[in-house]
Amino acid sequence: MQKLSDKSIKIISSILFILWAAFCYYIFFYEYIHYAFSLLIKIIRGI
Amino acid sequence: MIELIILLLLIIYTYLLGKKILNFFKVNFSRLSESVILSVSMGFGLLVTFLFFLGIAGLFYSWLIRTIIVVSFIILLYLDGRKEFEILKNSFKDINWKLPFGYWVLLIICGLYILFNLINCLTPVSNVDSLFVYLNHARLFVENHSIYNIDWGGIAASYRPLNAIILNSLGILLYSDILSQLITGWLMGFLSALAVYSISRNFANRRMSLIAAIVFYCIPTLSWLIFSTKIDMTYAAFELCFWLLFVKWLYSKDKKYLFISAVYLGFAIGTKYQALYALLFNSLVVLIIMVFERIKFKDVIIILLIFFSFTILVCAPSYIRSLILTGDPVYPFLSKGNYIKESILHSNNSSNHINYFHFQYQLIFGKSFPLKPYSIGDRPIGFLVFIILPALFISRSTIASHKKTILIFIGYYLFSSFMTNMTSEHFPRHFLPAIGLISSLNSLSFREIKKYIPESLILIVFNICLITMVLFADIGLGPRIRPRHLLKLKLITGEIKKETYLEETVFKEPRLLSGGMIKYINKMQPDTKIFALQEISGYYAQKPIIIKRGFVDTLNCEIFFNKCSEYGITHLLFSKNPLFEDDYLGVHYQFIKDIISDPRCSLEYNYGDQYLFRIEKSPVTSKNNEDNFNIKQYMEY
């Protein structure tokens, strides 16, 4: 039971950590991500 | 390549010199990194102080300084060389190279980035501030063989603390300005990261401390400071050495560390005014800690007095010089108010002073909340320093055992960033050591967060963030920067010459002298003295271009020409290009218009947007007046 709870804590905290990192990453690299997406859309439209 | 060899010899020399002094005070080094960072910094600090007095005495001669360094180097090698070599060899043998794969990836990324910075620093200095002030002043000192009063030879910064500028002079005196860049840029950047590692090692293990140092070294703010001869990296290295010994005092309570830390703080204050915040903050911290420990008040006062005396004694030379020359030891703050802040930010930016949290957000992400681009005249700190910091507060046990360290580091970050927000330009480089301290806390956070998140996952996230941070925010892979990297590569491989590289990069900048104008100026008479009417740097010209920030505030046209005659100025330099940006520096268009339209000025040469006027001894009306008229029309337009 203890092991199971430890595991679920690890999973939840890992997901939260990834979300937090992604959030910070998105704000910092906003222009780059925006540019990459617009480029991707252009390529898809081209195809 | 010769610069690299000299740099290596200089590191060994300063290491031996610094170690000799620290051994004299019986400082115990816990590990190799600590010994290297403290000894090299102490060596550089002593060398700078010695050079200051040589400079004041008018003895800034290459042959003299080279001889002194070579002779003392041989003596130091003879006395301690073999012993120190054995210590270094044994310490290297003891290093445990076993590390998990994720850490190796981090190390390789950081190692490649350090190598990239080293190659970058081997190319000519192109940072605008360095060419205007920090290298320009260093060159003027060397050319005049003394640390003289650059009143009509530089801009206001010539009265500031001089340690880093003297280090730049040392580079020029020993070999070249590229060596200056390697010392005050690359080496000081590396030493700062090493200091962060050593600070962190006092309360965390090797792996965690590596993370802290790598995170600090890869922040975008550092990326351009390393590739320059600015004073900020030297300031950060000295102040972080101070913090390293301060932390050692905090854990050991051995007063010896506190007193020696004061010497490093003195070096830092002698480099940049902002280190005075550390003196203020730490004096309060020492006072509070000792009062809490129920030490007698008389003893506390004596300890603080010794601490103050050491600091003031070490930093005093530059401040006494400014006091003698301007009547203001912290020029221009006491005599002219906060001139820099007022001229650059104006008074209407006061809203930023209130919104401290927004200021932090802007500096960390480089954006105005939430996603609006924010130009700060510096690069942001980046989120990596702060990403796992909240983990410090997950468990009480972490805080309990390192309560004082955490409180002091976070307190100093908040204090120094707050002071920066209130008193100077909103640039992270003004509180770089505080960012280093926060980075060092990452080791504690990492240790804590590992209990809840698999280590491999944290390392994957860190590696992804670090790679993109280094590639896009530090090195830059955008279409504007890529050609410059290519040019640097061509220069390093010998495909192009230095002149071509400068022509393609530096001379194209609007605030720097163009290649054609430099060629013309180099051919002019030896007694030529040129005064720039705006801030146009002519560092790469063979004749000094005199810049005096804010001269228009104090002079009228008649007095200006009298001053020119007094200082033997023969020519005036004017550029159309930076004219419309100059208002923020308080330059009045009308004044410049009056000067160049004056009959005493006649156009001698122009290249592109840049004009060179000769000052005639008696007023003349020549065909050049027509050109003057055109410029006047342009300015009116």
Side-chain angles (χ1 to χ4, degrees):
Chain A
M1 196 64 189
Q2 180 67 30
K3 261 192 176 178
L4 201 69
S5 126
D6 280 354
K7 212 175 176 184
S8 58
I9 284 173
K10 278 209 167 186
I11 291 168
I12 292 166
S13 50
S14 298
I15 292 167
L16 284 175
F17 175 66
I18 291 169
L19 285 175
W20 166 239
F23 174 71
C24 294
Y25 192 90
Y26 177 74
I27 296 173
F28 190 80
F29 287 112
Y30 172 71
E31 287 91 355
Y32 294 91
I33 294 168
H34 196 73
Y35 178 72
F37 269 115
S38 61
L39 212 67
L40 198 71
I41 289 165
K42 264 186 194 172
I43 292 166
I44 292 167
R45 275 183 188 164
I47 294 165
Chain B
M1 267 321 263
I2 297 170
E3 284 97 346
L4 270 183
I5 296 164
I6 299 174
L7 180 74
L8 188 68
L9 291 173
L10 206 57
I11 293 170
I12 299 170
Y13 171 68
T14 47
Y15 173 78
L16 291 173
L17 182 68
K19 190 86 183 274
K20 190 95 192 146
I21 300 296
L22 292 171
N23 281 341
F24 179 76
F25 289 106
K26 292 180 180 146
V27 175
N28 300 320
F29 301 107
S30 316
R31 48 197 73 85
L32 178 67
S33 59
E34 212 172 272
S35 147
V36 170
I37 172 70
L38 290 175
S39 304
V40 174
S41 302
M42 177 60 85
F44 271 111
L46 291 173
L47 195 59
V48 159
T49 311
F50 174 68
L51 285 175
F52 182 92
F53 291 111
L54 274 189
I56 291 291
L59 294 169
F60 251 21
Y61 291 94
S62 276
W63 63 268
L64 180 71
I65 286 157
R66 283 178 192 166
T67 313
I68 292 171
I69 290 179
V70 169
V71 170
S72 52
F73 193 14
I74 291 168
I75 295 170
L76 283 169
L77 271 178
Y78 176 74
L79 290 175
D80 298 330
R82 195 171 292 173
K83 188 181 80 187
E84 289 302 330
F85 181 71
E86 282 301 316
I87 293 172
L88 281 175
K89 205 171 81 179
N90 291 335
S91 306
F92 266 107
K93 264 185 199 167
D94 294 341
I95 294 174
N96 179 10
W97 295 99
K98 275 185 188 168
L99 277 174
F101 179 71
Y103 287 94
W104 275 112
V105 175
L106 273 176
L107 270 178
I108 290 165
I109 296 167
C110 190
L112 287 173
Y113 181 48
I114 291 171
L115 188 69
F116 170 82
N117 282 333
L118 183 67
I119 295 168
N120 227 359
C121 287
L122 284 170
T123 61
V125 183
S126 58
N127 173 259
V128 176
D129 281 356
S130 304
L131 296 177
F132 268 120
V133 190
Y134 307 107
L135 203 56
N136 192 29
H137 286 188
R139 192 186 81 164
L140 289 169
F141 288 156
V142 173
E143 280 173 358
N144 286 278
H145 308 298
S146 72
I147 297 174
Y148 72 114
N149 175 19
I150 309 178
D151 185 17
W152 274 60
I155 57 177
S158 62
Y159 297 116
R160 289 183 196 171
L162 288 174
N163 281 355
I165 296 174
I166 295 172
L167 275 183
N168 286 335
S169 296
L170 175 71
I172 300 171
L173 283 162
L174 288 180
Y175 193 70
S176 70
D177 49 16
I178 290 176
L179 182 63
S180 308
Q181 186 168 241
L182 283 168
I183 298 170
T184 50
W186 186 82
L187 179 66
M188 290 299 163
F190 183 75
L191 289 180
S192 302
L194 196 61
V196 169
Y197 173 83
S198 303
I199 292 170
S200 179
R201 284 293 273 128
N202 283 290
F203 43 80
N205 68 15
R206 196 166 57 111
R207 289 182 197 177
M208 310 296 126
S209 304
L210 267 177
I211 300 253
I214 290 171
V215 160
F216 178 68
Y217 192 81
C218 295
I219 63 168
T221 317
L222 243 68
S223 63
W224 71 284
L225 292 174
I226 289 170
F227 181 44
S228 78
T229 56
K230 280 173 78 73
I231 60 175
D232 307 84
M233 283 322 321
T234 313
Y235 150 66
F238 282 139
E239 199 182 306
L240 285 167
C241 284
F242 154 72
W243 280 106
L244 169 58
L245 283 167
F246 189 82
V247 170
K248 273 176 91 74
W249 169 75
L250 215 57
Y251 282 94
S252 70
K253 284 287 169 306
D254 187 346
K255 285 195 277 294
K256 177 175 70 190
Y257 292 121
L258 186 66
F259 297 147
I260 299 169
S261 77
V263 175
Y264 287 97
L265 186 57
F267 290 143
I269 297 173
T271 309
K272 197 170 161 99
Y273 287 142
Q274 269 79 359
L276 284 163
Y277 298 148
L279 178 66
L280 179 68
F281 183 83
N282 281 284
S283 306
L284 283 172
V285 166
V286 172
L287 185 75
I288 293 167
I289 288 174
M290 289 189 168
V291 166
F292 266 96
E293 284 172 357
R294 294 171 193 276
I295 295 173
K296 278 184 195 167
F297 192 69
K298 192 183 148 196
D299 293 344
V300 176
I301 296 297
I302 290 170
I303 290 168
L304 275 178
L305 270 177
I306 298 172
F307 180 74
F308 264 115
S309 311
F310 277 10
T311 308
I312 289 166
L313 202 69
V314 174
C315 75
S318 286
Y319 289 80
I320 292 172
R321 178 180 173 271
S322 293
L323 182 68
I324 293 167
L325 292 175
T326 65
D328 179 0
V330 285
Y331 184 87
F333 293 96
L334 292 182
S335 52
K336 288 177 97 178
N338 198 343
Y339 178 74
I340 311 296
K341 172 97 175 184
E342 282 154 19
S343 59
I344 292 178
L345 290 177
H346 295 282
S347 50
N348 57 9
N349 261 35
S350 55
S351 56
N352 281 335
H353 302 164
I354 302 158
N355 204 342
Y356 179 66
F357 290 108
H358 193 202
F359 162 77
Q360 288 292 348
Y361 183 89
Q362 284 168 330
L363 294 196
I364 293 168
F365 291 106
K367 308 263 185 307
S368 263
F369 186 80
L371 294 165
K372 199 177 154 196
Y374 173 67
S375 173
I376 52 169
D378 195 349
R379 295 215 185 149
I381 304 168
F383 62 94
L384 218 52
V385 174
F386 302 91
I387 196 167
I388 55 170
L389 206 64
L392 268 180
F393 307 100
I394 292 176
S395 136
R396 272 188 190 172
S397 62
T398 321
I399 303 176
S401 47
H402 305 287
K403 198 164 56 186
K404 274 185 214 157
T405 317
I406 295 170
L407 266 175
I408 292 170
F409 284 11
I410 293 178
Y412 182 62
Y413 176 83
L414 294 175
F415 174 74
S416 60
S417 58
F418 176 77
M419 292 303 280
T420 301
N421 183 27
M422 295 299 287
T423 62
S424 57
E425 307 103 312
H426 296 160
F427 301 156
R429 62 175 183 267
H430 292 325
F431 53 98
L432 214 47
I435 299 168
L437 296 184
I438 292 291
S439 303
S440 73
L441 287 181
N442 271 298
S443 53
L444 279 178
S445 308
F446 201 93
R447 201 178 67 185
E448 197 56 38
I449 206 171
K450 247 174 35 170
K451 293 176 193 164
Y452 305 97
I453 301 165
E455 193 177 358
S456 52
L457 179 72
I458 308 169
L459 285 171
I460 289 169
V461 169
F462 256 82
N463 278 318
I464 291 171
C465 291
L466 205 71
I467 290 171
T468 39
M469 187 81 88
V470 167
L471 285 179
F472 294 104
D474 295 346
I475 296 174
L477 290 177
R480 202 168 58 90
I481 305 174
R482 246 180 335 213
R484 210 167 236 227
H485 291 320
L486 206 67
L487 274 171
K488 279 177 196 163
L489 196 69
K490 282 181 180 173
L491 180 75
I492 296 288
T493 53
E495 206 176 307
I496 56 167
K497 285 186 175 169
K498 186 184 169 185
E499 288 73 25
T500 320
Y501 172 80
L502 289 172
E503 195 80 52
E504 292 294 320
T505 53
V506 179
F507 299 160
K508 279 185 177 171
E509 297 273 340
R511 285 190 168 273
L512 296 163
L513 221 54
S514 58
M517 187 58 91
I518 285 182
K519 272 178 199 159
Y520 182 81
I521 288 173
N522 289 348
K523 283 178 195 160
M524 288 170 84
Q525 296 291 322
D527 60 342
T528 306
K529 252 189 179 180
I530 301 162
F531 183 88
L533 290 169
Q534 301 123 307
E535 289 197 7
I536 307 164
S537 171
Y539 176 79
Y540 287 106
Q542 280 159 16
K543 291 180 182 63
I545 310 291
I546 298 164
I547 309 160
K548 184 164 171 65
R549 183 177 275 181
F551 74 98
V552 288
D553 296 339
T554 51
L555 305 174
N556 65 35
C557 201
E558 207 50 46
I559 299 172
F560 173 76
F561 279 108
N562 287 341
K563 281 263 181 195
C564 286
S565 135
E566 188 188 327
Y567 285 92
I569 287 158
T570 55
H571 290 78
L572 298 177
L573 182 72
F574 163 76
S575 174
K576 280 179 189 173
N577 225 339
L579 194 72
F580 295 104
E581 299 167 24
D582 272 345
D583 192 37
Y584 80 103
L585 289 167
V587 177
H588 308 300
Y589 301 152
Q590 186 59 43
F591 187 70
I592 293 178
K593 210 158 72 178
D594 289 349
I595 291 171
I596 59 174
S597 310
D598 195 279
R600 276 166 286 195
C601 264
S602 63
L603 186 69
E604 183 174 309
Y605 179 74
N606 84 292
Y607 187 89
D609 282 344
Q610 294 175 348
Y611 294 79
L612 192 68
F613 294 94
R614 186 174 52 250
I615 302 177
E616 304 288 354
K617 280 181 182 124
S618 52
V620 286
T621 315
S622 68
K623 63 185 170 72
N624 291 330
N625 279 1
E626 202 180 310
D627 296 312
N628 289 1
F629 180 69
N630 288 339
I631 297 164
K632 200 173 159 186
Q633 266 191 330
Y634 177 87
M635 288 166 79
E636 275 164 2
Y637 170 75

